[in-house]
Amino acid sequence: MRSVQVVSLDGPAGVRVVEAPAPTRASGEVLVEVHALGTSWPDLLLSRGEYQLKPEVPFQLGVDFAGVVRESDEGSGLAVGDRVAGCLPYGGGADLVSTSADALFPLPDGVTFEKAAALPMNYLTAQFALETRAQLQPGETVLVNGAAGGVGTACLQVAKGYGARTVAVVSTQEKADFVRALGADEAVLVDGFLAAVKELTDGRGVDVLVDVVGGDLMTDSLRSLGQLGRLLVVGFTGGTIPQVKVNRLLLNNTDVRGVGWGAYAMSRPGFMRRQWDALLPMMESGVVDPPVGTTYPVEEVARALADLENRTVLGKTVLTLR
Ligand SMILES: NC(=O)c1ccc[n+]([C@@H]2O[C@H](COP(=O)([O-])OP(=O)(O)OC[C@H]3O[C@@H](n4cnc5c(N)ncnc54)[C@H](OP(=O)(O)O)[C@@H]3O)[C@@H](O)[C@H]2O)c1
């Protein structure tokens, strides 16, 4: 079978599709025939040896994938022929993957494999951030920065699914149009976003702010929050880790809350499945509908990862295997 492997820690240039033996399903595992593989930020970091997990080369890449159950144990909750999405720390990138049922989620009929491969990591992170960490309430306003990215778009749609009003902060007009088309109520440019957000909220500020960028935006992000606001620390795509002056937290009764989804969710059996069940009605109503950008055959994995590295993608880049 084909296996997407990191053969040297050189970023996309060190990623190859190689022939490898098919996995043997252990008792308790589910064997999945993979149809589509999502590309993600962790794939890129893993390919450079810059991720928190540092497997020895060569290793099989692949966080998000989708396919069909080929073998399973009775009572696993998944039957042969079921369509599933899957999420692993790495290792989902091959024609056949054998894994625990905890890492697999049933797909509604209307969701294609390509869309399914865009769902797990970003949307489970968004659900964890907004529900578990922010305790988002219907009618609250959520600001998302880096909003055109993978986690950003997921947060916009999941916040909508929870009945919130959404404000997207993006760097270009093209990205503003993109996030509006995905359901954002408002989209503002990052330059001068504080004034725009104050105007949109009649001076009150927002209730929840999802921060995937960090860096220089932090001070204005804190100023964008209203009373009892919650700022969620999700990522640092801006490249620097900001410092918070705690007097700002006292002024408006502000919380700064960390969001570390992967290690938390993946070490708690059944947790991701409960999260998925919370997202299912949002998938069925269409409010959760992940944007798929480019699809490539799996052989073009290095090109797909290079696109991600060069910031030229809008929506999830998906690799097809069947
Ligand atoms: N905490 C968790 O549990 C968790 C889970 C999953 C992912 N993450 C992290 O969340 C972050 C976002 O992931 P993602 O998949 O959404 O990434 P992405 O799709 O590449 O989006 C990141 C966004 O950040 C903005 N950005 C600002 N400055 C940037 C820069 N210098 N380089 C690249 N992007 C920049 C971009 O928007 P503009 O161009 O509009 O500024 C871009 O749309 C990553 O740091 C990832 O590791 C955290």
Side-chain angles (χ1 to χ4, degrees):
M1 66 160 197
R2 291 167 298 177
S3 162
V4 177
Q5 296 205 355
V6 176
V7 296
S8 63
L9 298 177
D10 296 313
V15 181
R16 304 275 147 75
V17 177
V18 301
E19 277 300 310
T24 318
R25 184 180 72 87
S27 166
E29 288 189 341
V30 178
L31 184 68
V32 178
E33 180 184 278
V34 177
H35 285 233
L37 179 66
T39 58
S40 64
W41 199 257
D43 290 323
L44 195 58
L45 294 178
L46 277 157
S47 75
R48 294 196 206 117
E50 291 173 4
Y51 197 54
Q52 57 254 47
L53 301 173
K54 300 195 191 309
E56 261 181 48
V57 289
F59 62 90
Q60 190 164 296
L61 211 55
V63 175
D64 289 325
F65 60 98
V68 176
V69 173
R70 200 186 257 192
E71 286 174 27
S72 65
D73 289 333
E74 216 157 290
S76 68
L78 292 168
V80 174
D82 281 357
R83 300 167 73 251
V84 290
C87 193
L88 293 172
Y90 60 90
D95 281 312
L96 290 169
V97 169
S98 187
T99 187
S100 147
D102 271 330
L104 299 171
F105 320 106
L107 277 181
D109 288 343
V111 179
T112 63
F113 290 124
E114 286 77 13
K115 288 212 181 252
L119 276 165
M121 186 185 65
N122 289 340
Y123 284 78
L124 294 174
T125 298
Q127 196 276 342
F128 180 67
L130 294 166
E131 201 257 357
T132 308
R133 300 300 289 126
Q135 283 130 16
L136 180 65
Q137 301 300 314
E140 289 193 314
T141 301
V142 177
L143 183 153
V144 181
N145 66 26
V151 175
T153 50
C155 286
L156 289 173
Q157 294 191 338
V158 173
K160 227 42 224 145
Y162 280 120
R165 178 189 184 205
T166 53
V167 181
V169 176
V170 291
S171 57
T172 64
Q173 199 52 53
E174 185 197 12
K175 289 185 178 185
D177 295 341
F178 175 72
V179 293
R180 278 199 199 93
L182 293 173
D185 293 312
E186 316 282 354
V188 300
L189 294 180
V190 66
D191 283 339
F193 81 94
L194 175 60
V197 168
K198 288 284 180 182
E199 198 179 322
L200 286 170
T201 55
D202 298 325
R204 283 192 309 276
V206 300
D207 302 295
V208 173
L209 189 148
V210 181
D211 182 19
V212 301
V213 177
D216 301 341
L217 298 188
M218 179 55 90
T219 303
D220 278 352
S221 292
L222 287 170
R223 289 181 178 138
S224 301
L225 288 165
Q227 280 289 341
L228 302 174
R230 292 87 84 198
L231 185 145
L232 304 175
V233 178
V234 178
F236 309 102
T237 56
T240 53
I241 298 179
Q243 307 243 326
V244 173
K245 291 215 169 108
V246 293
N247 61 319
R248 291 199 184 283
L249 310 185
L250 176 151
L251 293 172
N252 274 343
N253 295 295
T254 301
D255 283 335
V256 176
R257 300 184 186 173
V259 176
W261 169 74
Y264 184 88
M266 289 184 189
S267 61
R268 285 168 172 73
F271 186 84
M272 291 195 289
R273 179 56 193 271
R274 287 193 293 279
Q275 289 194 274
W276 188 263
D277 288 347
L279 294 174
L280 277 173
M282 302 183 198
M283 293 178 210
E284 280 155 2
S285 75
V287 67
V288 158
D289 183 17
V292 173
T294 312
T295 49
Y296 291 121
V298 69
E299 284 71 20
E300 300 208 40
V301 58
R303 182 172 166 195
L305 291 174
D307 288 352
L308 202 63
E309 193 168 47
N310 300 333
R311 288 179 80 181
T312 55
V313 294
L314 275 183
K316 188 91 159 177
T317 302
V318 175
L319 301 164
T320 52
L321 291 97
R322 286 184 170 77

